[in-house]
Amino acid sequence: MGGGLFGFDISSMSGVLATSAYTNYFHVNGGYLQGAITGSMAGGSFFGTLASSFIADRMSRKTAIQIAAVIWIIGSIFQTAANGIALLVFGRVVAGMGAGIASAMVPVYQAEIAPKEIRGRVVSLQQFAITVGILVQYFIQYGSSFVDGGAKNPNQSTMAFRIPWGIQIFPATLLAVGMFFVPYSPRWLAGQDRWEEAIRVLANLHGNGDIGHPKVLAQYREIEEAMTFEREVGDSAFKALTQPRMINRVILSVSIQMWSQLCGMNVMMYYIVYMMQAAGVHNLLLTASIQYILNVALTLPAILFIDTWGRRPSLLYGALSMMVLLFVVAALEGIYGVPNPRTDPSLDHISWLIIDNPPVSRAIVACSYLFVCTFAVTWGPTSWTYASEIFPTGIRAKAVSLATASNWAWNCALAFAVPTLFQKINWRMYIVFAVFNMCALVQVWLTVRETKGKTLEEMEEVFESGRPAWAGVSRGSRLDRLQRDIAEGTVKVRLSGRRYEEL
C-alpha cells in the first residue's frame, strides 16, 4: 500500500490531461503551468522524504508509514475539493509529503524485517506496488473520462477528475489501519535497547516463534555486534553520512535514485499521452493503458529473480537497453517527424509530429513498450532494494531519506520541465535521456558492488573489502556460518546479557 501511494502519485495526472473537464475547468493545456501542477506533488514528496528519517528514528518505521498515510488522505481531500489551481496545487503538495515519507520508509522497513535470501524480493514488492498503483489509478481515470459522454465533450462534468482523485483516500486508509497488525522493525527495537521485543520479533519472523532457533540467535548476535560497533564509532547522526567510510555509499545511493528518474521512465508515466500524440497515435488512453499493464506484469520476474541474478547485472543491462531504445525513438522521430503545422488546437503543446505514417508510429509505440518492460525488470525494483540495504542501522533511515529525496527532486524537475521540452527540443529530448543512461551505465560498472545473499550487517565487509566493484564479492554469508556453528554447539549465545560465548 505504501508503494501504491507512490504509484497513485505518478499516475495522478496522466489520465485526466486529455479530458475536456480538466482543461476547461483549470484552463491548462501543457507548458510551464501544467509542469508546475504535475511537479507540485513531487515537490511535496521531496520535503516529506527529508522529514521521514526524523519520524522513523524517533517513532519507528511503522509509525512513520502510518503518519504518511494520514497526510496522504488529507492531501487527497484537498485535491478532490479543488475549486482552482491554487487549492489543487496545495492538495498535491500535502499528498506528496505523505507519499514521500512512505516511499522512503517502506523499503527501509522491508529490508529490516526480510531474510537475506529473499530481501531483494521483499523490497521489490515496493516497486510492484508502485506499478499496481500506477495501473489502478490510470484505469480509474480512464473509466472516469467517459463521464458525460467522454473526454471530448466540452461540457464534461468535473467528476471526470474528482472521482479518481477522491478514490485515492481508500488505499491510504487501508495502509494506516493495516500497519497496526504488523511488527516493529527488530533492528529499530534493538536501536532503542528494546532487546526482548527485538528477539521476539526475530523469532516470529525467522524461527516460527522459537527464540532458541539457530537462525534467530545468529541474527541476534549479528545485530548486537553491529549496534555495538555503530555506537563506538558514533554512527547515528547526519554527520556520520559524511565520514570517509560512508560518503561513497551515500553518493552511490543518491546517484542510483537520480538515474532511476533521469533514465526517462517517469517521462513515459507522467506524459505518455503527450508522447503518443507526438507519435500520431489516435486512441491515446487505450494505447497508453497497455504500457501500464506491461509495467505491472514485467515487475513480477524481477521480484522472482532479483535474488538470483543480483543487483549489479540488473542495473548494467537495464541502463544499456534503455539507452539503445531511446536512441531508436529519437532517430525515428527525427527522421520521419515534421514540425507541428498547428492545424489542430488540441496539439498546440507539441511542436513535432509523426503525420500519416502508421509503421513509424507503431515502431515508436513498440519502443516505448520495450523501454517500460526493461525498466520494470531492472532499474525499477533494484534501485529501491540497493539503497535500502547498504547502510548501517543507525543511519539507514537518514541515508535512504536522502537517496529518496534525490528521486523526488529529479521527479519534480522532470515533471516541470518535460512539457516545455516537448515544445522546445521535441525529439532531441530522447537523446538527452539516452545520454543519461550512458552515464548511469559507466557509474554502475565502476562503483556498484553486488549485495545479494549478504545480511545488512555484512555490508561493511562488502564495501570495505578493498576490491574493485567489478571484481565481485566473496561467496557465502557470515550469518550462514554462524548459524551452523550455533546449531553444532561450537558457539553459544546468552540472551539475558545480550552476549555470546564461543566454545
Side-chain angles (χ1 to χ4, degrees):
M1 285 296 177
L5 300 187
F6 194 163
F8 269 66
D9 173 354
I10 291 174
S11 188
S12 61
M13 295 299 298
S14 56
V16 303
L17 289 176
T19 63
S20 297
Y22 177 81
T23 55
N24 292 338
Y25 190 81
F26 293 106
H27 305 291
V28 178
N29 191 18
Y32 289 111
L33 183 56
Q34 181 55 56
I37 294 172
T38 304
S40 60
M41 183 171 280
S45 298
F46 172 79
F47 291 104
T49 297
L50 292 178
S52 64
S53 65
F54 296 98
I55 302 171
D57 284 340
R58 286 166 175 76
M59 303 176 67
S60 82
R61 283 67 161 132
K62 172 179 170 177
T63 302
I65 295 170
Q66 290 178 302
I67 291 173
V70 172
I71 294 174
W72 175 273
I73 291 170
I74 295 170
S76 297
I77 292 172
F78 281 120
Q79 290 177 77
T80 306
N83 59 358
I85 291 177
L87 188 57
L88 172 61
V89 169
F90 178 75
R92 288 179 64 79
V93 169
V94 173
M97 292 179 68
I101 295 172
S103 65
M105 289 305 109
V106 166
V108 169
Y109 178 77
Q110 291 171 315
E112 290 186 347
I113 66 171
K116 64 179 177 59
E117 295 85 1
I118 60 169
R119 186 176 61 244
R121 296 181 193 175
V122 172
V123 180
S124 293
L125 290 172
Q126 158 93 341
Q127 179 63 19
F128 181 70
I130 291 172
T131 63
V132 171
I134 293 171
L135 179 67
V136 170
Q137 173 67 301
Y138 184 83
F139 273 114
I140 291 172
Q141 293 181 15
Y142 179 67
S144 300
S145 71
F146 291 100
V147 168
D148 292 335
K152 299 301 181 183
N153 178 11
N155 297 314
Q156 187 181 35
S157 166
T158 60
M159 295 305 291
F161 58 80
R162 296 192 194 279
I163 289 173
W165 293 345
I167 288 177
Q168 296 179 130
I169 294 170
F170 295 101
T173 302
L174 290 175
L175 176 63
V177 175
M179 288 300 295
F180 283 111
F181 301 95
V182 300
Y184 288 99
S185 160
R187 289 172 170 84
W188 179 81
L189 289 170
Q192 305 299 309
D193 280 331
R194 293 161 62 174
W195 288 96
E196 291 185 4
E197 294 176 72
I199 190 68
R200 284 200 297 269
V201 173
L202 286 172
N204 291 330
L205 290 173
H206 307 299
N208 295 320
D210 180 10
I211 292 178
H213 192 285
K215 186 171 185 178
V216 174
L217 295 176
Q219 286 217 335
Y220 181 90
R221 174 186 154 181
E222 287 265 284
I223 293 172
E224 196 234 354
E225 285 190 333
M227 289 289 180
T228 301
F229 175 74
E230 289 174 30
R231 285 169 178 168
E232 287 176 353
V233 299
D235 277 0
S236 61
F238 267 107
K239 64 180 181 181
L241 300 178
T242 62
Q243 293 178 358
R245 51 186 283 270
M246 284 298 149
I247 188 65
N248 289 337
R249 280 185 251 182
V250 172
I251 294 172
L252 179 58
S253 63
V254 168
S255 298
I256 287 176
Q257 289 287 359
M258 175 185 73
W259 295 130
S260 73
Q261 291 296 315
L262 294 181
C263 72
M265 179 59 176
N266 273 4
V267 175
M268 304 289 186
M269 295 293 105
Y270 278 127
Y271 295 111
I272 182 61
V273 170
Y274 288 2
M275 182 180 178
M276 294 302 179
Q277 285 176 326
V281 176
H282 299 292
N283 196 341
L284 298 174
L285 295 180
L286 183 59
T287 304
S289 68
I290 297 173
Q291 180 160 286
Y292 292 107
I293 294 172
L294 291 171
N295 193 26
V296 173
L298 270 294
T299 302
L300 291 173
I303 293 174
L304 295 174
F305 299 112
I306 186 173
D307 288 306
T308 301
W309 62 47
R311 286 55 156 162
R312 181 178 166 87
S314 295
L315 296 175
L316 285 171
Y317 295 133
L320 177 62
S321 300
M322 290 187 292
M323 177 187 71
V324 172
L325 288 167
L326 287 169
F327 276 131
V328 171
V329 171
L332 289 171
E333 291 213 4
I335 294 171
Y336 296 102
V338 297
N340 187 352
R342 307 294 179 183
T343 57
D344 184 351
S346 67
L347 299 177
D348 283 347
H349 54 284
I350 297 171
S351 62
W352 195 265
L353 296 173
I354 303 294
I355 300 177
D356 296 328
N357 198 332
V360 173
S361 296
R362 286 193 292 269
I364 292 173
V365 171
C367 285
S368 73
Y369 289 167
L370 289 172
F371 182 96
V372 169
C373 291
T374 301
F375 181 88
V377 174
T378 59
W379 276 78
T382 308
S383 60
W384 293 109
T385 301
Y386 201 79
S388 68
E389 65 187 3
I390 64 175
F391 295 100
T393 299
I395 60 171
R396 184 173 296 119
K398 298 177 179 65
V400 174
S401 72
L402 285 180
T404 310
S406 168
N407 182 300
W408 284 111
W410 289 103
N411 186 312
C412 179
L414 291 175
F416 182 79
V418 167
T420 303
L421 293 177
F422 268 114
Q423 291 179 342
K424 301 296 185 182
I425 64 173
N426 41 73
W427 60 269
R428 298 173 186 84
M429 177 183 69
Y430 300 108
I431 296 178
V432 173
F433 288 107
V435 172
F436 286 148
N437 278 286
M438 185 185 300
C439 296
L441 180 65
V442 173
Q443 184 183 18
V444 169
W445 174 261
L446 294 175
T447 64
V448 170
R449 298 172 185 273
E450 186 55 68
T451 58
K452 71 171 182 177
K454 302 292 186 180
T455 66
L456 298 180
E457 288 70 36
E458 288 180 283
M459 293 303 157
E460 243 357 83
E461 296 178 9
V462 171
F463 282 88
E464 302 301 325
S465 66
R467 304 172 67 182
W470 58 85
V473 295
S474 60
R475 293 184 178 275
S477 169
R478 186 178 63 204
L479 181 69
D480 294 333
R481 295 189 293 272
L482 178 59
Q483 181 181 340
R484 185 175 59 252
D485 291 342
I486 292 174
E488 293 173 352
T490 57
V491 171
K492 287 186 178 180
V493 177
R494 189 171 63 214
L495 296 177
S496 59
R498 303 198 307 275
R499 297 165 63 184
Y500 62 90
E501 296 175 344
E502 294 189 13
L503 301 182

PDB file of all heavy atoms in Angstrom, residues 75-108:
ATOM      1  N   GLY A  75      -4.279  15.361   1.914  1.00  0.00           N
ATOM      2  CA  GLY A  75      -3.981  15.951   0.610  1.00  0.00           C
ATOM      3  C   GLY A  75      -4.976  15.540  -0.450  1.00  0.00           C
ATOM      4  O   GLY A  75      -5.381  16.358  -1.306  1.00  0.00           O
ATOM      5  N   SER A  76      -5.423  14.293  -0.422  1.00  0.00           N
ATOM      6  CA  SER A  76      -6.399  13.814  -1.412  1.00  0.00           C
ATOM      7  C   SER A  76      -7.736  14.526  -1.258  1.00  0.00           C
ATOM      8  O   SER A  76      -8.425  14.805  -2.252  1.00  0.00           O
ATOM      9  CB  SER A  76      -6.597  12.299  -1.261  1.00  0.00           C
ATOM     10  OG  SER A  76      -5.402  11.608  -1.537  1.00  0.00           O
ATOM     11  N   ILE A  77      -8.108  14.830  -0.026  1.00  0.00           N
ATOM     12  CA  ILE A  77      -9.364  15.564   0.210  1.00  0.00           C
ATOM     13  C   ILE A  77      -9.285  16.953  -0.415  1.00  0.00           C
ATOM     14  O   ILE A  77     -10.226  17.413  -1.076  1.00  0.00           O
ATOM     15  CB  ILE A  77      -9.646  15.653   1.725  1.00  0.00           C
ATOM     16  CG1 ILE A  77      -9.981  14.263   2.284  1.00  0.00           C
ATOM     17  CG2 ILE A  77     -10.786  16.642   1.996  1.00  0.00           C
ATOM     18  CD1 ILE A  77     -10.094  14.222   3.795  1.00  0.00           C
ATOM     19  N   PHE A  78      -8.162  17.634  -0.224  1.00  0.00           N
ATOM     20  CA  PHE A  78      -7.994  18.964  -0.816  1.00  0.00           C
ATOM     21  C   PHE A  78      -8.029  18.900  -2.344  1.00  0.00           C
ATOM     22  O   PHE A  78      -8.630  19.764  -3.000  1.00  0.00           O
ATOM     23  CB  PHE A  78      -6.686  19.599  -0.355  1.00  0.00           C
ATOM     24  CG  PHE A  78      -6.744  20.185   1.026  1.00  0.00           C
ATOM     25  CD1 PHE A  78      -5.904  19.727   2.035  1.00  0.00           C
ATOM     26  CD2 PHE A  78      -7.641  21.201   1.325  1.00  0.00           C
ATOM     27  CE1 PHE A  78      -5.945  20.270   3.309  1.00  0.00           C
ATOM     28  CE2 PHE A  78      -7.703  21.753   2.602  1.00  0.00           C
ATOM     29  CZ  PHE A  78      -6.850  21.280   3.594  1.00  0.00           C
ATOM     30  N   GLN A  79      -7.380  17.898  -2.940  1.00  0.00           N
ATOM     31  CA  GLN A  79      -7.390  17.767  -4.396  1.00  0.00           C
ATOM     32  C   GLN A  79      -8.796  17.539  -4.923  1.00  0.00           C
ATOM     33  O   GLN A  79      -9.211  18.142  -5.914  1.00  0.00           O
ATOM     34  CB  GLN A  79      -6.500  16.593  -4.826  1.00  0.00           C
ATOM     35  CG  GLN A  79      -5.020  16.823  -4.637  1.00  0.00           C
ATOM     36  CD  GLN A  79      -4.228  15.590  -5.026  1.00  0.00           C
ATOM     37  OE1 GLN A  79      -4.035  15.313  -6.206  1.00  0.00           O
ATOM     38  NE2 GLN A  79      -3.781  14.838  -4.034  1.00  0.00           N
ATOM     39  N   THR A  80      -9.516  16.660  -4.264  1.00  0.00           N
ATOM     40  CA  THR A  80     -10.871  16.339  -4.711  1.00  0.00           C
ATOM     41  C   THR A  80     -11.781  17.553  -4.635  1.00  0.00           C
ATOM     42  O   THR A  80     -12.660  17.727  -5.487  1.00  0.00           O
ATOM     43  CB  THR A  80     -11.448  15.202  -3.843  1.00  0.00           C
ATOM     44  OG1 THR A  80     -10.539  14.095  -3.858  1.00  0.00           O
ATOM     45  CG2 THR A  80     -12.796  14.753  -4.369  1.00  0.00           C
ATOM     46  N   ALA A  81     -11.573  18.397  -3.637  1.00  0.00           N
ATOM     47  CA  ALA A  81     -12.423  19.576  -3.449  1.00  0.00           C
ATOM     48  C   ALA A  81     -11.895  20.807  -4.184  1.00  0.00           C
ATOM     49  O   ALA A  81     -12.478  21.890  -4.054  1.00  0.00           O
ATOM     50  CB  ALA A  81     -12.536  19.882  -1.958  1.00  0.00           C
ATOM     51  N   ALA A  82     -10.827  20.680  -4.958  1.00  0.00           N
ATOM     52  CA  ALA A  82     -10.176  21.837  -5.582  1.00  0.00           C
ATOM     53  C   ALA A  82     -11.149  22.644  -6.430  1.00  0.00           C
ATOM     54  O   ALA A  82     -11.858  22.106  -7.288  1.00  0.00           O
ATOM     55  CB  ALA A  82      -9.004  21.366  -6.431  1.00  0.00           C
ATOM     56  N   ASN A  83     -11.173  23.960  -6.177  1.00  0.00           N
ATOM     57  CA  ASN A  83     -12.004  24.876  -6.971  1.00  0.00           C
ATOM     58  C   ASN A  83     -11.153  25.790  -7.844  1.00  0.00           C
ATOM     59  O   ASN A  83     -11.651  26.755  -8.421  1.00  0.00           O
ATOM     60  CB  ASN A  83     -12.903  25.712  -6.053  1.00  0.00           C
ATOM     61  CG  ASN A  83     -12.093  26.533  -5.057  1.00  0.00           C
ATOM     62  OD1 ASN A  83     -10.861  26.454  -5.024  1.00  0.00           O
ATOM     63  ND2 ASN A  83     -12.785  27.311  -4.230  1.00  0.00           N
ATOM     64  N   GLY A  84      -9.870  25.479  -7.921  1.00  0.00           N
ATOM     65  CA  GLY A  84      -8.956  26.254  -8.747  1.00  0.00           C
ATOM     66  C   GLY A  84      -7.563  25.672  -8.649  1.00  0.00           C
ATOM     67  O   GLY A  84      -7.312  24.730  -7.889  1.00  0.00           O
ATOM     68  N   ILE A  85      -6.655  26.261  -9.383  1.00  0.00           N
ATOM     69  CA  ILE A  85      -5.294  25.734  -9.429  1.00  0.00           C
ATOM     70  C   ILE A  85      -4.608  25.833  -8.068  1.00  0.00           C
ATOM     71  O   ILE A  85      -3.875  24.924  -7.665  1.00  0.00           O
ATOM     72  CB  ILE A  85      -4.480  26.472 -10.507  1.00  0.00           C
ATOM     73  CG1 ILE A  85      -5.010  26.106 -11.901  1.00  0.00           C
ATOM     74  CG2 ILE A  85      -2.995  26.126 -10.393  1.00  0.00           C
ATOM     75  CD1 ILE A  85      -4.332  26.837 -13.026  1.00  0.00           C
ATOM     76  N   ALA A  86      -4.869  26.901  -7.325  1.00  0.00           N
ATOM     77  CA  ALA A  86      -4.189  27.102  -6.038  1.00  0.00           C
ATOM     78  C   ALA A  86      -4.489  25.959  -5.076  1.00  0.00           C
ATOM     79  O   ALA A  86      -3.571  25.383  -4.468  1.00  0.00           O
ATOM     80  CB  ALA A  86      -4.600  28.437  -5.425  1.00  0.00           C
ATOM     81  N   LEU A  87      -5.768  25.609  -4.905  1.00  0.00           N
ATOM     82  CA  LEU A  87      -6.127  24.539  -3.976  1.00  0.00           C
ATOM     83  C   LEU A  87      -5.671  23.185  -4.506  1.00  0.00           C
ATOM     84  O   LEU A  87      -5.272  22.311  -3.723  1.00  0.00           O
ATOM     85  CB  LEU A  87      -7.637  24.530  -3.735  1.00  0.00           C
ATOM     86  CG  LEU A  87      -8.132  23.580  -2.623  1.00  0.00           C
ATOM     87  CD1 LEU A  87      -7.442  23.896  -1.304  1.00  0.00           C
ATOM     88  CD2 LEU A  87      -9.656  23.680  -2.474  1.00  0.00           C
ATOM     89  N   LEU A  88      -5.699  23.002  -5.825  1.00  0.00           N
ATOM     90  CA  LEU A  88      -5.221  21.753  -6.416  1.00  0.00           C
ATOM     91  C   LEU A  88      -3.734  21.553  -6.111  1.00  0.00           C
ATOM     92  O   LEU A  88      -3.315  20.470  -5.683  1.00  0.00           O
ATOM     93  CB  LEU A  88      -5.454  21.761  -7.927  1.00  0.00           C
ATOM     94  CG  LEU A  88      -4.839  20.597  -8.715  1.00  0.00           C
ATOM     95  CD1 LEU A  88      -5.406  19.264  -8.248  1.00  0.00           C
ATOM     96  CD2 LEU A  88      -5.061  20.797 -10.218  1.00  0.00           C
ATOM     97  N   VAL A  89      -2.944  22.594  -6.311  1.00  0.00           N
ATOM     98  CA  VAL A  89      -1.503  22.502  -6.054  1.00  0.00           C
ATOM     99  C   VAL A  89      -1.247  22.268  -4.562  1.00  0.00           C
ATOM    100  O   VAL A  89      -0.400  21.444  -4.184  1.00  0.00           O
ATOM    101  CB  VAL A  89      -0.783  23.772  -6.542  1.00  0.00           C
ATOM    102  CG1 VAL A  89       0.657  23.798  -6.043  1.00  0.00           C
ATOM    103  CG2 VAL A  89      -0.817  23.840  -8.061  1.00  0.00           C
ATOM    104  N   PHE A  90      -1.994  22.965  -3.706  1.00  0.00           N
ATOM    105  CA  PHE A  90      -1.819  22.777  -2.261  1.00  0.00           C
ATOM    106  C   PHE A  90      -2.109  21.326  -1.876  1.00  0.00           C
ATOM    107  O   PHE A  90      -1.352  20.707  -1.124  1.00  0.00           O
ATOM    108  CB  PHE A  90      -2.747  23.717  -1.488  1.00  0.00           C
ATOM    109  CG  PHE A  90      -2.666  23.551   0.005  1.00  0.00           C
ATOM    110  CD1 PHE A  90      -1.582  24.037   0.718  1.00  0.00           C
ATOM    111  CD2 PHE A  90      -3.673  22.882   0.701  1.00  0.00           C
ATOM    112  CE1 PHE A  90      -1.501  23.875   2.101  1.00  0.00           C
ATOM    113  CE2 PHE A  90      -3.606  22.716   2.075  1.00  0.00           C
ATOM    114  CZ  PHE A  90      -2.520  23.207   2.778  1.00  0.00           C
ATOM    115  N   GLY A  91      -3.214  20.784  -2.393  1.00  0.00           N
ATOM    116  CA  GLY A  91      -3.557  19.397  -2.094  1.00  0.00           C
ATOM    117  C   GLY A  91      -2.507  18.421  -2.586  1.00  0.00           C
ATOM    118  O   GLY A  91      -2.176  17.442  -1.909  1.00  0.00           O
ATOM    119  N   ARG A  92      -1.955  18.690  -3.754  1.00  0.00           N
ATOM    120  CA  ARG A  92      -0.920  17.814  -4.307  1.00  0.00           C
ATOM    121  C   ARG A  92       0.371  17.896  -3.496  1.00  0.00           C
ATOM    122  O   ARG A  92       1.069  16.899  -3.331  1.00  0.00           O
ATOM    123  CB  ARG A  92      -0.668  18.152  -5.778  1.00  0.00           C
ATOM    124  CG  ARG A  92      -1.807  17.711  -6.689  1.00  0.00           C
ATOM    125  CD  ARG A  92      -1.542  18.079  -8.152  1.00  0.00           C
ATOM    126  NE  ARG A  92      -0.368  17.381  -8.680  1.00  0.00           N
ATOM    127  CZ  ARG A  92      -0.367  16.122  -9.082  1.00  0.00           C
ATOM    128  NH1 ARG A  92      -1.458  15.384  -8.996  1.00  0.00           N
ATOM    129  NH2 ARG A  92       0.730  15.567  -9.573  1.00  0.00           N
ATOM    130  N   VAL A  93       0.698  19.080  -2.992  1.00  0.00           N
ATOM    131  CA  VAL A  93       1.893  19.217  -2.155  1.00  0.00           C
ATOM    132  C   VAL A  93       1.719  18.425  -0.862  1.00  0.00           C
ATOM    133  O   VAL A  93       2.622  17.691  -0.432  1.00  0.00           O
ATOM    134  CB  VAL A  93       2.182  20.701  -1.848  1.00  0.00           C
ATOM    135  CG1 VAL A  93       3.259  20.832  -0.770  1.00  0.00           C
ATOM    136  CG2 VAL A  93       2.628  21.427  -3.112  1.00  0.00           C
ATOM    137  N   VAL A  94       0.547  18.557  -0.229  1.00  0.00           N
ATOM    138  CA  VAL A  94       0.295  17.840   1.029  1.00  0.00           C
ATOM    139  C   VAL A  94       0.320  16.333   0.797  1.00  0.00           C
ATOM    140  O   VAL A  94       0.985  15.584   1.526  1.00  0.00           O
ATOM    141  CB  VAL A  94      -1.055  18.270   1.640  1.00  0.00           C
ATOM    142  CG1 VAL A  94      -1.395  17.399   2.849  1.00  0.00           C
ATOM    143  CG2 VAL A  94      -1.015  19.734   2.038  1.00  0.00           C
ATOM    144  N   ALA A  95      -0.398  15.865  -0.224  1.00  0.00           N
ATOM    145  CA  ALA A  95      -0.394  14.431  -0.525  1.00  0.00           C
ATOM    146  C   ALA A  95       1.010  13.952  -0.865  1.00  0.00           C
ATOM    147  O   ALA A  95       1.419  12.836  -0.501  1.00  0.00           O
ATOM    148  CB  ALA A  95      -1.352  14.141  -1.686  1.00  0.00           C
ATOM    149  N   GLY A  96       1.759  14.799  -1.555  1.00  0.00           N
ATOM    150  CA  GLY A  96       3.127  14.439  -1.905  1.00  0.00           C
ATOM    151  C   GLY A  96       4.001  14.232  -0.678  1.00  0.00           C
ATOM    152  O   GLY A  96       4.867  13.344  -0.667  1.00  0.00           O
ATOM    153  N   MET A  97       3.771  15.020   0.367  1.00  0.00           N
ATOM    154  CA  MET A  97       4.547  14.826   1.593  1.00  0.00           C
ATOM    155  C   MET A  97       4.294  13.432   2.173  1.00  0.00           C
ATOM    156  O   MET A  97       5.217  12.753   2.616  1.00  0.00           O
ATOM    157  CB  MET A  97       4.175  15.904   2.617  1.00  0.00           C
ATOM    158  CG  MET A  97       4.623  17.303   2.225  1.00  0.00           C
ATOM    159  SD  MET A  97       4.143  18.559   3.440  1.00  0.00           S
ATOM    160  CE  MET A  97       5.186  18.084   4.813  1.00  0.00           C
ATOM    161  N   GLY A  98       3.034  13.000   2.130  1.00  0.00           N
ATOM    162  CA  GLY A  98       2.724  11.647   2.594  1.00  0.00           C
ATOM    163  C   GLY A  98       3.379  10.594   1.733  1.00  0.00           C
ATOM    164  O   GLY A  98       3.959   9.618   2.245  1.00  0.00           O
ATOM    165  N   ALA A  99       3.318  10.760   0.425  1.00  0.00           N
ATOM    166  CA  ALA A  99       3.947   9.798  -0.486  1.00  0.00           C
ATOM    167  C   ALA A  99       5.457   9.769  -0.287  1.00  0.00           C
ATOM    168  O   ALA A  99       6.088   8.707  -0.384  1.00  0.00           O
ATOM    169  CB  ALA A  99       3.619  10.154  -1.935  1.00  0.00           C
ATOM    170  N   GLY A 100       6.040  10.923   0.000  1.00  0.00           N
ATOM    171  CA  GLY A 100       7.488  10.988   0.208  1.00  0.00           C
ATOM    172  C   GLY A 100       7.928  10.214   1.438  1.00  0.00           C
ATOM    173  O   GLY A 100       8.913   9.462   1.402  1.00  0.00           O
ATOM    174  N   ILE A 101       7.197  10.380   2.547  1.00  0.00           N
ATOM    175  CA  ILE A 101       7.532   9.644   3.769  1.00  0.00           C
ATOM    176  C   ILE A 101       7.399   8.145   3.529  1.00  0.00           C
ATOM    177  O   ILE A 101       8.279   7.350   3.896  1.00  0.00           O
ATOM    178  CB  ILE A 101       6.614  10.084   4.926  1.00  0.00           C
ATOM    179  CG1 ILE A 101       6.866  11.559   5.269  1.00  0.00           C
ATOM    180  CG2 ILE A 101       6.837   9.206   6.151  1.00  0.00           C
ATOM    181  CD1 ILE A 101       5.873  12.140   6.257  1.00  0.00           C
ATOM    182  N   ALA A 102       6.303   7.741   2.898  1.00  0.00           N
ATOM    183  CA  ALA A 102       6.067   6.313   2.648  1.00  0.00           C
ATOM    184  C   ALA A 102       7.125   5.727   1.716  1.00  0.00           C
ATOM    185  O   ALA A 102       7.642   4.628   1.945  1.00  0.00           O
ATOM    186  CB  ALA A 102       4.670   6.107   2.070  1.00  0.00           C
ATOM    187  N   SER A 103       7.461   6.467   0.657  1.00  0.00           N
ATOM    188  CA  SER A 103       8.415   5.929  -0.321  1.00  0.00           C
ATOM    189  C   SER A 103       9.799   5.737   0.270  1.00  0.00           C
ATOM    190  O   SER A 103      10.552   4.863  -0.173  1.00  0.00           O
ATOM    191  CB  SER A 103       8.494   6.861  -1.542  1.00  0.00           C
ATOM    192  OG  SER A 103       9.026   8.126  -1.194  1.00  0.00           O
ATOM    193  N   ALA A 104      10.155   6.514   1.279  1.00  0.00           N
ATOM    194  CA  ALA A 104      11.466   6.369   1.911  1.00  0.00           C
ATOM    195  C   ALA A 104      11.471   5.273   2.970  1.00  0.00           C
ATOM    196  O   ALA A 104      12.427   4.498   3.074  1.00  0.00           O
ATOM    197  CB  ALA A 104      11.903   7.696   2.533  1.00  0.00           C
ATOM    198  N   MET A 105      10.408   5.186   3.755  1.00  0.00           N
ATOM    199  CA  MET A 105      10.426   4.288   4.911  1.00  0.00           C
ATOM    200  C   MET A 105       9.898   2.884   4.624  1.00  0.00           C
ATOM    201  O   MET A 105      10.246   1.937   5.328  1.00  0.00           O
ATOM    202  CB  MET A 105       9.633   4.912   6.064  1.00  0.00           C
ATOM    203  CG  MET A 105      10.344   6.105   6.682  1.00  0.00           C
ATOM    204  SD  MET A 105      12.029   5.695   7.242  1.00  0.00           S
ATOM    205  CE  MET A 105      13.002   6.592   5.994  1.00  0.00           C
ATOM    206  N   VAL A 106       9.071   2.714   3.617  1.00  0.00           N
ATOM    207  CA  VAL A 106       8.588   1.367   3.299  1.00  0.00           C
ATOM    208  C   VAL A 106       9.744   0.435   2.924  1.00  0.00           C
ATOM    209  O   VAL A 106       9.856  -0.673   3.475  1.00  0.00           O
ATOM    210  CB  VAL A 106       7.508   1.404   2.189  1.00  0.00           C
ATOM    211  CG1 VAL A 106       7.264   0.011   1.625  1.00  0.00           C
ATOM    212  CG2 VAL A 106       6.212   1.977   2.744  1.00  0.00           C
ATOM    213  N   PRO A 107      10.659   0.825   2.009  1.00  0.00           N
ATOM    214  CA  PRO A 107      11.778  -0.089   1.715  1.00  0.00           C
ATOM    215  C   PRO A 107      12.713  -0.304   2.898  1.00  0.00           C
ATOM    216  O   PRO A 107      13.291  -1.386   3.039  1.00  0.00           O
ATOM    217  CB  PRO A 107      12.497   0.580   0.534  1.00  0.00           C
ATOM    218  CG  PRO A 107      12.046   1.990   0.533  1.00  0.00           C
ATOM    219  CD  PRO A 107      10.667   1.985   1.102  1.00  0.00           C
ATOM    220  N   VAL A 108      12.882   0.706   3.759  1.00  0.00           N
ATOM    221  CA  VAL A 108      13.702   0.525   4.955  1.00  0.00           C
ATOM    222  C   VAL A 108      13.073  -0.531   5.862  1.00  0.00           C
ATOM    223  O   VAL A 108      13.750  -1.454   6.349  1.00  0.00           O
ATOM    224  CB  VAL A 108      13.857   1.858   5.717  1.00  0.00           C
ATOM    225  CG1 VAL A 108      14.488   1.628   7.097  1.00  0.00           C
ATOM    226  CG2 VAL A 108      14.718   2.827   4.918  1.00  0.00           C
TER     227      VAL A 108
END
